[in-house]
Amino acid sequence: MEVHFLKLVTITEGFEGELKKCFLFPKSLIDSASRDLTPDERRLLEQIRERKTQLLQEIQQLKDEIADVSTEMESMDIQDDTKNNPKTKQMSIGKKKFNMDPKKGIEYLVENGLLQLNPQDVAAFLYEGEGLNKTAIGDYLGEKNDFNIAVLKAFVNLHEFSDMILVQALRQFLWSFRLPGEAQKIDRMMECFAERYCELNLGVFTNTDTCYVLSFAIIMLNTSLHNPSVKDKPTVDRFISMNRGINDGGDLPEELLNNLYDSIKKEPFKIPEDDGNDLMHTFFNPDKEGWLWKQGGRYRSWKRRWFILNDNCLYYFQYTQDKEPKGIIPLENLQVREVPAEKSNKPNSFELYAASNDIIKACKVDGEGKVVEGRHNVYRMSAAKPLEKDEWIKCIKASISDNPFYDMLAQRRKNATRFK
């Protein structure tokens, strides 16, 4: 393609040069000659001049288009160079490792010279966040060791909360990661947030404790107002009553609390992973989620996958940040059982199977990105610990839906094979 492009450039430039040579006669000579021409010859000469102008314009247009194509090709070359850049590839690997195990991901990036092992550099990496799973960011920031706490403080200090009302600052802060489930981790994060907010907004609260308590009250209000399972929705009066005396023994202005209440009622906090993809709503508040090893069908190899159990289906992903699953296993008419250690080359194994020994109705994405029907009679998984295995089996059993027809059919088949 590039050779043909260069030929086109050469031909265009050559044609333009030849065309210009044809009209390099002195103007006085042309005017003198034109006086000797007949009217028809003069009209022909005028047509030639117009055609010359038109051709030169078309050539210029071609040159402009060639310049655009040339720029685009250079851009493609730069992209190719980027793809082939080992550092770019290592950064991509490091981000994927971080999403699977934040500590190992950071170690990999430091070992390959892509991050410096200091709180400011790691915090900037997490704050920029491109390609990083926000649950993994929250887990890393919540760890209780000196380095992670220093990273947390540096991360919070990258946020600009000046002249923001508290609820706006909270929206920005809680969008940059996903709060972990452990109370102690949340406590450290919200304490850092309160310190940063008060530092940038002097005089709004008497101390950071007031900001801390009110921030928690806002998060709780958000849950109470917008969680469908909460039937008794708090009123603004109850919200004001809950926050009496938190301002160093005094009350906060009712106007402030009213504004906070109205803001949360009109617009709930957004979940960081919510990108507008309808499928993703399925994966909010799952019955259970976590890493499991899954055994392949044809080659029987084990691959680590992120599993989400919800709506009587088991979804599995290659990475936690993936928006669409690699596979879906509907749990209808399936059963789950523990696999004895002597029957599996991986500990803590369990498997899904159809009691009728039929093919399990499941689907997956193949290597070409096409959705294909699964051909498994059994799906075997392995957990990291015995307790995790027991918890997965318990949760899957609770999600399985039975169809009496299939149970009856399975019994009929069993009876039939018994008398053969």
Side-chain angles (χ1 to χ4, degrees), residues 173-291:
F173 182 58
L174 296 177
W175 181 255
S176 61
F177 67 98
R178 192 172 184 182
L179 279 173
E182 297 178 34
Q184 290 183 342
K185 291 183 177 182
I186 296 173
D187 179 73
R188 285 193 292 275
M189 292 173 168
M190 297 309 297
E191 190 175 335
C192 283
F193 166 79
E195 289 175 359
R196 176 66 172 167
Y197 183 83
C198 290
E199 176 189 334
L200 296 174
N201 296 276
L202 297 174
V204 175
F205 301 109
T206 55
N207 54 52
T208 57
D209 287 340
T210 303
C211 181
Y212 172 91
V213 173
L214 184 57
S215 297
F216 259 115
I218 292 171
I219 293 171
M220 291 168 62
L221 175 68
N222 180 78
T223 302
S224 300
L225 287 177
H226 299 289
N227 190 327
S229 63
V230 178
K231 304 302 181 186
D232 185 19
K233 304 297 183 185
T235 62
V236 65
D237 291 335
R238 194 199 303 179
F239 179 67
I240 292 172
S241 177
M242 284 171 51
N243 292 289
R244 292 199 187 282
I246 67 170
N247 195 24
D248 201 17
D251 293 341
L252 290 166
E254 285 197 9
E255 184 183 358
L256 169 66
L257 296 176
N258 270 308
N259 289 339
L260 293 174
Y261 182 93
D262 289 341
S263 177
I264 291 297
K265 187 175 182 179
K266 289 176 183 175
E267 184 183 356
F269 288 128
K270 292 181 180 178
I271 300 172
E273 286 82 356
D274 186 3
D275 63 348
N277 186 339
D278 291 338
L279 184 61
M280 287 305 296
H281 293 292
T282 305
F283 311 132
F284 295 151
N285 302 316
D287 297 330
K288 184 165 179 59
E289 60 183 334
W291 289 106

Side-chain angles (χ1 to χ4, degrees), residues 320-376:
T320 54
Q321 82 274 20
D322 289 349
K323 302 301 181 188
E324 296 182 0
K326 292 282 288 182
I328 303 173
I329 309 170
L331 297 177
E332 184 177 357
N333 307 308
L334 297 188
Q335 296 186 31
V336 59
R337 63 191 171 199
E338 185 176 349
V339 179
E342 63 272 13
K343 291 189 177 181
S344 177
N345 58 355
K346 252 193 180 312
N348 310 315
S349 292
F350 62 94
E351 61 187 16
L352 296 169
Y353 67 99
S356 58
N357 291 321
D358 286 337
I359 298 293
I360 295 174
K361 294 178 181 179
C363 63
K364 64 177 182 178
V365 179
D366 66 11
E368 298 178 356
K370 298 177 181 177
V371 178
V372 296
E373 188 177 346
R375 305 297 300 170
H376 294 274

Side-chain angles (χ1 to χ4, degrees), residues 395-409:
C395 291
I396 289 172
K397 280 183 177 178
S399 291
I400 287 174
S401 60
D402 296 316
N403 187 323
F405 171 79
Y406 281 92
D407 293 337
M408 236 167 43
L409 181 61

Side-chain angles (χ1 to χ4, degrees), residues 70-85:
S70 179
T71 303
E72 188 175 343
M73 289 176 66
E74 287 174 6
S75 174
M76 290 171 64
D77 290 340
I78 291 170
Q79 289 176 8
D80 289 340
D81 290 342
T82 303
K83 287 179 183 177
N84 296 326
N85 187 334

Side-chain angles (χ1 to χ4, degrees), residues 122-177:
V122 175
F125 169 70
L126 301 180
Y127 182 76
E128 189 270 335
E130 185 179 350
L132 300 182
N133 176 264
K134 294 192 176 182
T135 298
I137 294 173
D139 288 340
Y140 185 83
L141 292 172
E143 289 297 321
K144 189 182 179 182
N145 61 62
D146 292 342
F147 184 79
N148 287 63
I149 290 172
V151 172
L152 171 62
K153 290 180 178 178
F155 178 84
V156 175
N157 287 341
L158 289 171
H159 289 77
E160 180 53 58
F161 302 135
S162 299
D163 300 321
M164 283 188 180
I165 64 169
L166 184 60
V167 70
Q168 290 175 331
L170 270 173
R171 289 186 195 280
Q172 178 185 313
F173 182 58
L174 296 177
W175 181 255
S176 61
F177 67 98

